[in-house]
Amino acid sequence: MVAKTLFGLEEVLAKELQQLGAQQVEPGVRMVSFVGDKGFMYKANLALRTALKILKPIHSFRAWNDRALYSGIQSIDWSKYLTVNQTFVVDVTLSGEQFTHSQFVALKTKDAIVDQFRDKYGKRPDIDKLHPDLRINIHIFNDQCSVALDTSGNSLHHRGYRSATNIAPINEVLAAGMLLLSGWDGSTHFLDPMCGSGTILAEAAMIACNIPANINRKEFAFEKWQDWDNDLFDTVTNSLMNKTREFHYTIKGYDKAPSAVMKAKDNIKNANLEDYVTISQENFFDTNKATEGPLHMVFNPPYGERLDINLERFYREIGDTLKQGYPNTNAWFITGNLEALKFVGLKPSRKIKLFNGKLEARLVKYEMYDGSKRAKFQQD
């Protein structure tokens, strides 16, 4: 199988797969390939935090022109996966010279499948772009065509808990990836000081308690497949839920906008995480650290892309607030504005390249010590 992900999260996803028990895990670009059975396919969809989709390849062939594409698709026995009364849709990803129009490839694929059914049964399955029974994924790289079934359906970042979002919400998969890259494991207090609609908080709580990422999701594509096994799915779900753990610290979120605080509280409630997360209306720049011991901080400050702010002053205030109010804190944040980082006035100890949507971004880490850094190293 193939798990698709965002750029920069491949190694994180590979580690997640290994921990879940996948075999032959191999990271690629924006994807990780692995081997597992049907139960593992269910488990991967339920539990993976940094996967966007799980694809199950069923055939590959060379397609140097549209005729070769048509006959390659026709060589698959589609009655194994579809009936004439079901619906399907074709998603296409292209790279290389051979084919340049994804809609043309989707149309050719659809024709080959529909013609096969018409020849066999005198009837054909229909296309349904919104809610198909089967999602078929075609990937062509130069003349190599691979055909896969989409086991997930809607992208797995649709967790099912987010009913309300703000102006620039962060993708749930990116939020989970940032948390895992930051080393968050639930062993300290946690703060998101600019929490928006609460996505980072929800993902942080689910990681801390080892709650499966997609437990709140309404459905997966494989539930409409001919070999759907409801009992196996229940067994896998129960086994994952039996591995959840207690969390003994605090997870807090601040936002200065009352509307954001309300939305975040709603989303945390939808995710059944109110026992772990508290959210209050605060301006981060007026706060000090409220907990004893180490603090883990991850946030997504505005970049100035969609929000009108004075970036120089804003990023300088981030640095000042961390320096003056947050000793013994590992502070991580993502920004798509690489210039603005200069104004923080602190030297990041890590910089990781990611993409937030199409925007190239950096996940940066600032280590705030108790007292001065020099004193810290003298103690060590």
Side-chain angles (χ1 to χ4, degrees):
M1 287 179 270
V2 171
K4 310 273 277 188
T5 189
L6 300 167
F7 177 89
L9 300 183
E10 298 90 350
E11 294 297 334
V12 180
L13 177 54
K15 189 176 171 188
E16 277 199 272
L17 279 159
Q18 282 158 346
Q19 287 169 342
L20 268 189
Q23 306 295 307
Q24 298 175 39
V25 176
E26 286 182 33
V29 178
R30 294 191 174 87
M31 54 78 74
V32 180
S33 64
F34 64 98
V35 171
D37 59 10
K38 189 201 292 188
F40 191 84
M41 180 181 84
Y42 294 169
K43 187 164 141 183
N45 274 285
L46 276 162
L48 289 173
R49 302 181 193 285
T50 55
L52 293 165
K53 274 188 184 295
I54 311 295
L55 302 177
K56 182 185 175 186
I58 55 170
H59 189 48
S60 60
F61 58 91
R62 285 186 62 205
W64 49 91
N65 61 23
D66 55 339
R67 283 193 302 280
L69 172 67
Y70 181 92
S71 62
I73 299 294
Q74 278 242 312
S75 71
I76 300 165
D77 178 4
W78 286 102
S79 64
K80 279 190 193 163
Y81 311 108
L82 259 179
T83 69
V84 288
N85 300 318
Q86 287 184 303
T87 59
F88 72 100
V89 74
V90 180
D91 298 321
V92 176
T93 312
L94 302 175
S95 55
E97 313 278 297
Q98 237 69 17
F99 294 93
T100 50
H101 286 288
S102 56
Q103 278 193 298
F104 172 78
V105 171
L107 199 62
K108 270 286 164 210
T109 303
K110 182 212 76 167
D111 288 348
I113 295 169
V114 161
D115 291 350
Q116 186 186 96
F117 276 98
R118 246 202 223 101
D119 294 346
K120 262 190 190 174
Y121 306 104
K123 280 165 75 181
R124 52 154 285 185
D126 285 330
I127 295 288
D128 180 346
K129 289 182 179 172
L130 293 178
H131 215 71
D133 295 311
L134 189 71
R135 224 171 231 290
I136 298 160
N137 188 281
I138 305 290
H139 182 271
I140 302 180
F141 176 69
N142 292 329
D143 66 351
Q144 288 299 313
C145 177
S146 60
V147 184
L149 306 183
D150 182 341
T151 77
S152 308
N154 285 338
S155 168
L156 292 174
H157 81 274
H158 294 294
R159 302 281 203 234
Y161 63 75
R162 198 161 81 175
S163 60
T165 62
N166 286 357
I167 194 166
I170 195 163
N171 175 305
E172 291 85 337
V173 162
L174 179 58
M178 285 162 49
L179 287 158
L180 293 171
L181 283 167
S182 79
W184 169 245
D185 60 2
S187 60
T188 62
H189 295 293
F190 182 91
L191 174 66
D192 177 349
M194 300 180 188
C195 72
S197 55
T199 306
I200 290 174
L201 295 170
E203 298 296 323
M206 288 197 288
I207 291 170
C209 302
N210 203 31
I211 296 167
N214 290 305
I215 199 69
N216 296 299
R217 201 176 145 106
K218 298 289 180 282
E219 65 172 1
F220 300 94
F222 54 67
E223 292 177 50
K224 293 181 171 181
W225 289 10
Q226 293 178 21
D227 68 350
W228 161 238
D229 187 336
N230 200 13
D231 291 343
L232 177 60
F233 182 75
D234 286 347
T235 303
V236 169
T237 305
N238 292 334
S239 149
L240 285 167
M241 289 307 287
N242 286 336
K243 295 191 176 85
T244 58
R245 57 181 176 238
E246 277 305 304
F247 173 64
H248 303 291
Y249 297 92
T250 58
I251 296 177
K252 289 187 175 166
Y254 298 155
D255 204 284
K256 67 176 191 178
S259 59
V261 171
M262 277 174 60
K263 286 172 187 171
K265 284 181 174 176
D266 281 349
N267 292 334
I268 293 301
K269 189 178 177 190
N270 291 341
N272 301 306
L273 295 169
E274 307 112 299
D275 290 354
Y276 306 105
V277 181
T278 55
I279 299 162
S280 51
Q281 188 188 339
E282 309 271 357
N283 181 345
F284 173 51
F285 302 145
D286 300 333
T287 67
N288 290 301
K289 189 176 164 206
T291 49
E292 292 294 315
L295 176 66
H296 197 96
M297 186 189 286
V298 180
F299 61 111
N300 173 34
Y303 305 165
E305 282 289 301
R306 306 186 216 179
L307 298 159
D308 189 22
I309 53 171
N310 178 332
L311 279 177
E312 182 173 343
R313 195 175 75 209
F314 188 82
Y315 277 78
R316 187 169 287 127
E317 285 196 77
I318 290 177
D320 289 347
T321 306
L322 289 174
K323 267 184 290 205
Q324 289 154 22
Y326 284 86
N328 197 4
T329 297
N330 279 336
W332 293 78
F333 68 81
I334 189 170
T335 181
N337 193 315
L338 307 186
E339 283 299 300
L341 283 178
K342 294 174 184 167
F343 305 126
V344 176
L346 296 165
K347 193 171 165 44
S349 59
R350 293 279 308 277
K351 268 190 188 180
I352 300 169
K353 181 178 170 181
L354 295 171
F355 282 84
N356 191 353
K358 292 203 164 78
L359 199 64
E360 186 178 319
R362 292 292 181 277
L363 177 64
V364 288
K365 177 188 187 184
Y366 296 98
E367 295 180 48
M368 311 312 298
Y369 296 98
D370 260 333
S372 75
K373 189 165 181 176
R374 188 178 296 132
K376 154 91 177 157
F377 286 118
Q378 282 168 348
Q379 286 162 9
D380 292 349

